[in-house]
Amino acid sequence: MAKLRGRGIAAICYPTGMNLGGDPSQTVIVARPDGTFVVNVASVELGQGLRTVLSQIAAEAIGASVEDVEVRFGDTQLAPHDTGTFASRTTHRMGNAIVKAGQEIRQILLDIASKILEVSPQDLEIKNGKIWVKGVPDKSITVREVASQAQFVYNTPVVGKGHYVKPKSIVDPDTGESDPHSTMAHGCVVADVEVDTETGQVTVLQLFTVYEVGRAINPKLVEGQIIGGAVMGLGAALRETVYPRYPQITHQTKSFREYVLPTAGDIPKIIYKIVESPTPTGPYGAKGVGEMVANGIAPAIVNAVYDAIGVQITELPITPEKVLKAIREKSQSVNEHRV
Amino acid sequence: MSDQFSVVGAPIKNVQLLGHVTGSTQYVDEISFPGMLWVKAVRSPVARGKIKKIDTSKAEKLPGVVRIITAKDVPNNIHVNMAVIGIGPPDEPVLPEDEVKYKGEAICLVVAKDEDTAAKGAQLVEVEIEELPPVLDMEEALKPSAPVITKWGINAFIYGSGMDGATMPGRPGRPFFLVKRGDVEAAFKKADYVVEGSYLIPPIEHAPIEPHVCVAKPEPGQRLTIYTTTQAPYFVRDNVASILKIPPSNIRVVAPAVGGGFGGKVDPEFEMQVAVAAMCVGRPVKWRWTREEEFTISTTRPAIKIEIQDALSSSGLILGRRARLLHDSGAYTRTSPYGVIKSTVNLSGPYHIPNVYYEGYCVYTNRQPSSAMRGYGVFEVSYAVELQMERDARKLGIDSWEFRFKNAYRNGQVTATGRLIDDAYLIEVMKVAAALSGVSLPHHLLQMSSWG
């Protein structure tokens, strides 16, 4: 009995947004009396960091300080329509809507600031909560002050509206000819594994993952997705199914006792790198990243086990039982061949 | 971070973080109202059967039970689901009238003063069911001899006739989604090698920390507020409005912070049942699914079986590919027809394959409905394609990296569906991955690019 090592790779692409499009997102950004901003979206904060990412996009588009932007989410009474938070769509779809809304506000701010500073709007710069005269950084005013004065002095509403939809692509039923996606993100995973030929246990030693995300609006949150996705992929590769005897429905799992998710102690070393190739369709070039990061892990691990034991197991999850069976069948066929 | 931007590209801290780690983030389960009642379901013990009788008399006598809700209490007993975006026909009742199609399907609801009483009441409801043989295996389901479990005479979704939300109406349909490009027969005739593989992903649970929780609160004037763990508040609003037969604008859906979704909270799965219960009793009603319900009732990733045949040249190119994909939708449609299209159009992976023939089947079985899960449709395809790529490379005796570099799609080529590729970047990504994992790629691969 031995411990065999193997390496496997997987290369993937993943579309951003709903397949075939037709999934609109809409937003309204409004200034409060104190010159801070509220971004209203019906998208949902699921733990992925949507409020943070969308506040960064809004702050960039307006020219506001990110601390002065609050994203309010998940309420059909307060926010206009959004298709939903899935399909790796929110950063891209809602992000695009927010860029448009933010740019409307930016223009309002520049117009008001030009009156306050008595220069033409084209001579002004706006960034990070500050508006100043080009080349004269001392001649400046805060975005907060301008947004507030717009309401109290200049009788101007500070409201920006934005909408984004990739128009729905109609499919040719005889060929499938269509334009299903707005942009593709890419990834490549390398997995190193060790297989215990006595127990059939597969240990993932390390995962190298590289993802091209267009633009990482917040690299720390992209990292969160990468690690979470890797663990989800690892569980799918080695352990998880609700029907262990699929297609039969007996032995269906009912609790975490039978359905054993990977936990902190099972997470291998994950070495990752984020690559940027901005897409013209996305907000500041961003593509969707939330789902792709789960997709390459299982095939890389299964290919690594293939490399280690010389048998490709094709049905997930590759439990110790399946690994042992594969090793035995292989050694039997070798023995038969010798006879 | 580039100077080009002030805050895009900055690794700032998640603004929700402090709330999460101090326990002050508000989730749906923390929402409560005076006079609020609780719901539990009476569930089918069998995977397929005819409902003969529902006897609620004993349950009604249990102190604390306020109301038993059955199909006849539902104003419009059809779960429209993805019909709101053109995928149909709607095929799932809010509560079944005469038949159950999966083990655990809710037959009726017990509304009571608290969770325990609702659960006890549910145990007292007596349901008589004539069990029928279930359809569980996708290949069996597609055979003409299989019992038909859909309303349209075949255990597969019909594509091409406009009900798939993808094609124009007016043409006859077929039981699979088709992608066809080039001359696949000629490619296989020309091939030096043909490599086959068959791959299976079983149903997988999303397993978010937070289960499904919903509170529906009737408001004056036929209005309703629904607090729920959804990824798509407007889907919930439009579905519930159709079921209650009230204008969507009468319904407010609030999704406060949601404790993980992973696709499992895209479908309106139970909000309509809570909403019907709340409207019937005129009081706020809450339903909190147990972990067991998360596993056995809530959607799963679909089981997907993919068979691939590749026509290969001895020089290491994929000349053509045939694929057949079976997607286990479970008992009802939900998002599956959409998922199958997404899978089928992506069966080439990130590779240039000039001649393809792909069939994608959305198959119905007597199991809990499947739906979206992280990577929906493509997670499964990436798995099958990358295992197939490894088989192909071994058959050809070519290094795994080299085989992928050679076949990687380039800008200026077109996809299987005829879309011009303008954002290919796989070769560059593979170069970074090779370097990161200590692989020295040969010079001729390092020379390659997505633009040449």
Side-chain angles (χ1 to χ4, degrees):
Chain A
M1 294 301 158
K3 290 192 172 180
L4 302 176
R5 290 198 170 191
R7 168 169 278 197
I9 62 178
I12 59 167
C13 57
Y14 196 77
T16 294
M18 274 185 82
N19 194 58
L20 301 173
D23 53 331
S25 288
Q26 204 172 141
T27 186
V28 179
I29 306 180
V30 185
R32 293 193 184 100
D34 66 353
T36 61
F37 300 91
V38 179
V39 183
N40 294 292
V41 298
S43 315
V44 181
E45 173 62 59
L46 301 163
Q48 80 281 49
L50 165 138
R51 283 188 70 197
T52 313
V53 166
L54 296 185
S55 72
Q56 286 178 264
I57 293 173
E60 193 72 50
I62 296 169
S65 159
V66 73
E67 291 82 17
D68 290 347
V69 175
E70 185 192 342
V71 175
R72 286 198 190 147
F73 62 93
D75 190 333
T76 59
Q77 186 155 299
L78 301 179
H81 177 252
D82 174 47
T83 306
T85 308
F86 51 81
S88 298
R89 63 181 297 286
T90 303
T91 297
H92 186 271
R93 303 292 204 251
M94 190 55 85
N96 274 327
I98 288 175
V99 168
K100 286 184 199 165
Q103 283 170 348
E104 282 193 9
I105 289 188
R106 170 190 289 252
Q107 199 49 55
I108 294 166
L109 296 173
L110 290 174
D111 288 345
I112 300 297
S114 81
K115 290 176 188 165
I116 298 170
L117 297 172
E118 297 175 330
V119 293
S120 115
Q122 294 88 283
D123 292 334
L124 292 172
E125 298 252 32
I126 176 169
K127 202 171 185 175
N128 212 8
K130 203 176 150 190
I131 299 173
W132 68 95
V133 178
K134 280 179 194 166
V136 195
D138 288 347
K139 200 172 178 189
S140 70
I141 187 166
T142 65
V143 162
R144 269 191 183 216
E145 183 63 29
V146 175
S148 187
Q149 280 202 30
Q151 300 166 68
F152 286 89
V153 181
Y154 292 91
N155 197 19
T156 303
V158 187
V159 180
K161 59 191 187 309
H163 183 269
Y164 180 85
V165 68
K166 175 193 183 292
K168 181 132 187 179
S169 170
I170 300 299
V171 176
D172 180 334
D174 295 326
T175 61
E177 183 119 338
S178 56
D179 178 11
H181 62 269
S182 6
T183 182
M184 273 289 185
H186 300 88
C188 184
V189 177
V190 180
D192 287 335
V193 303
E194 187 174 81
V195 183
D196 185 324
T197 61
E198 190 171 8
T199 63
Q201 189 74 37
V202 174
T203 305
V204 178
L205 303 171
Q206 51 193 358
L207 292 167
F208 300 92
T209 71
V210 178
Y211 296 105
E212 180 268 305
V213 302
R215 170 96 58 204
I217 302 291
N218 184 324
K220 202 69 194 161
L221 292 174
V222 174
E223 180 192 330
Q225 291 282 14
I226 289 173
I227 295 183
V231 178
M232 203 168 220
L234 180 85
L238 302 179
R239 293 179 179 175
E240 293 180 43
T241 177
V242 289
Y243 294 103
R245 307 206 177 168
Y246 181 86
Q248 296 311 310
I249 54 174
T250 57
H251 300 81
Q252 189 182 10
T253 60
K254 293 185 169 139
S255 75
F256 288 125
R257 270 187 312 217
E258 306 99 52
Y259 193 95
V260 185
L261 288 169
T263 52
D266 300 308
I267 302 176
K269 195 169 168 191
I270 301 167
I271 300 128
Y272 74 91
K273 197 154 190 167
I274 300 167
V275 175
E276 295 188 325
S277 172
T279 168
T281 75
Y284 306 106
K287 302 179 180 179
V289 60
E291 298 180 274
M292 162 174 70
V293 289
N295 292 2
I297 306 294
I301 290 172
V302 175
N303 283 338
V305 173
Y306 186 12
D307 184 41
I309 68 171
V311 187
Q312 191 185 50
I313 302 166
T314 56
E315 291 190 14
L316 286 184
I318 55 163
T319 56
E321 188 184 349
K322 285 185 198 160
V323 173
L324 279 184
K325 206 170 150 219
I327 293 170
R328 282 197 193 135
E329 276 168 10
K330 190 187 172 220
S331 70
Q332 273 165 11
S333 75
V334 171
N335 289 340
E336 278 162 22
H337 196 66
R338 279 186 193 136
V339 172
Chain B
M1 184 175 121
S2 133
D3 285 345
Q4 194 186 346
F5 302 115
S6 63
V7 68
V8 158
I12 63 172
K13 198 158 63 181
N14 186 340
V15 296
Q16 296 283 104
L17 207 56
L18 198 62
H20 291 343
V21 298
T22 58
S24 64
T25 302
Q26 194 189 44
Y27 296 95
V28 177
D29 196 34
E30 287 153 315
I31 293 168
S32 181
F33 296 99
M36 188 174 78
L37 302 172
W38 288 74
V39 172
K40 284 281 180 185
V42 176
R43 297 195 174 281
S44 170
V46 301
R48 182 166 170 249
K50 280 200 173 357
I51 301 171
K52 292 292 178 190
K53 195 177 161 196
I54 303 173
D55 181 354
T56 60
S57 55
K58 280 183 194 158
E60 278 162 10
K61 286 184 195 124
L62 183 72
V65 168
V66 175
R67 178 86 186 248
I68 315 262
I69 313 276
T70 61
K72 65 180 189 312
D73 296 308
V74 186
N76 176 27
N77 193 12
I78 194 85
H79 183 132
V80 284
N81 222 326
M82 297 296 272
V84 300
I85 58 166
I87 297 173
D91 62 345
E92 184 171 2
V94 177
L95 291 168
E97 273 149 36
D98 49 9
E99 56 177 339
V100 284
K101 291 191 179 175
Y102 65 95
K103 195 179 166 190
E105 183 167 3
I107 293 171
C108 62
L109 308 171
V110 177
V111 187
K113 66 176 169 104
D114 55 41
E115 202 173 12
D116 283 350
T117 308
K120 279 184 195 129
Q123 283 169 4
L124 292 175
V125 174
E126 288 168 3
V127 182
E128 201 182 302
I129 294 179
E130 179 195 333
E131 192 171 356
L132 295 169
V135 177
L136 298 173
D137 182 287
M138 290 194 282
E139 297 286 6
E140 292 298 320
L142 291 176
K143 288 180 183 163
S145 57
V148 176
I149 62 167
T150 65
K151 291 188 167 85
W152 51 90
I154 176 174
N155 294 326
F157 186 81
I158 303 297
Y159 284 98
S161 63
M163 291 310 287
D164 48 21
T167 57
M168 298 299 282
R171 300 183 54 159
R174 60 169 76 84
F176 55 87
F177 184 79
L178 176 65
V179 173
K180 203 165 81 173
R181 184 153 201 92
D183 186 344
V184 85
E185 301 303 324
F188 274 81
K189 270 185 205 134
K190 219 171 89 181
D192 298 311
Y193 301 98
V194 172
V195 177
E196 299 187 3
S198 176
Y199 311 95
L200 179 78
I201 306 245
I204 294 173
E205 163 59 15
H206 310 80
I209 293 174
E210 177 200 43
H212 288 71
V213 191
C214 176
V215 179
K217 181 173 176 277
E219 312 279 5
Q222 283 283 298
R223 300 178 87 88
L224 185 70
T225 305
I226 301 172
Y227 303 88
T228 186
T229 54
T230 183
Q231 293 178 238
Y234 274 93
F235 273 176
V236 172
R237 189 193 71 151
D238 295 351
N239 273 278
V240 172
S242 158
I243 287 156
L244 294 180
K245 291 191 179 167
I246 63 175
S249 55
N250 281 19
I251 298 171
R252 175 185 183 190
V253 177
V254 183
V258 171
F262 311 108
K265 292 169 179 168
V266 173
D267 295 28
E269 289 197 88
F270 71 141
E271 288 92 346
M272 54 285 301
Q273 293 164 341
V274 184
V276 167
M279 292 308 245
C280 280
V281 298
R283 284 165 69 176
V285 168
K286 179 170 181 175
W287 197 0
R288 176 174 61 198
W289 278 10
T290 61
R291 186 55 66 180
E292 183 171 333
E293 286 175 309
E294 291 299 313
F295 279 109
T296 58
I297 313 299
S298 87
T299 59
T300 62
R301 184 185 289 289
I304 294 188
K305 178 183 168 186
I306 304 176
E307 296 166 338
I308 299 178
Q309 292 178 311
D310 278 353
L312 305 172
S313 74
S314 53
S315 63
L317 292 177
I318 308 171
L319 304 175
R321 172 171 291 173
R322 289 197 194 102
R324 175 173 175 266
L325 178 145
L326 304 183
H327 169 124
D328 192 337
S329 179
Y332 295 109
T333 293
R334 300 285 178 94
T335 61
S336 286
Y338 163 87
V340 169
I341 298 176
K342 189 173 172 189
S343 292
T344 311
V345 300
N346 283 296
L347 275 163
S348 296
Y351 305 107
H352 176 63
I353 308 177
N355 306 292
V356 306
Y357 180 87
Y358 301 150
E359 290 180 356
Y361 294 79
C362 173
V363 187
Y364 294 80
T365 62
N366 292 112
R367 119 182 32 256
Q368 75 206 91
S370 67
S371 192
M373 184 168 170
R374 199 179 198 173
Y376 195 27
V378 179
F379 177 95
E380 300 82 359
V381 163
S382 294
Y383 176 74
V385 166
E386 286 308 292
L387 264 61
Q388 177 73 24
M389 292 299 285
E390 211 55 44
R391 284 188 175 219
D392 290 350
R394 290 200 177 213
K395 180 75 179 181
L396 291 165
I398 293 178
D399 171 72
S400 302
W401 290 100
E402 171 137 10
F403 185 59
R404 286 177 174 80
F405 270 77
K406 271 191 161 161
N407 289 285
Y409 61 20
R410 265 72 162 174
N411 291 302
Q413 292 173 332
V414 292
T415 66
T417 68
R419 185 192 193 273
L420 180 72
I421 296 168
D422 54 9
D423 54 4
Y425 209 69
L426 184 69
I427 289 174
E428 291 68 21
V429 166
M430 289 196 295
K431 284 182 197 170
V432 177
L436 195 67
S437 58
V439 174
S440 302
L441 292 173
H443 183 71
H444 70 281
L445 298 189
L446 291 172
Q447 292 294 95
M448 287 185 184
S449 109
S450 293
W451 284 264

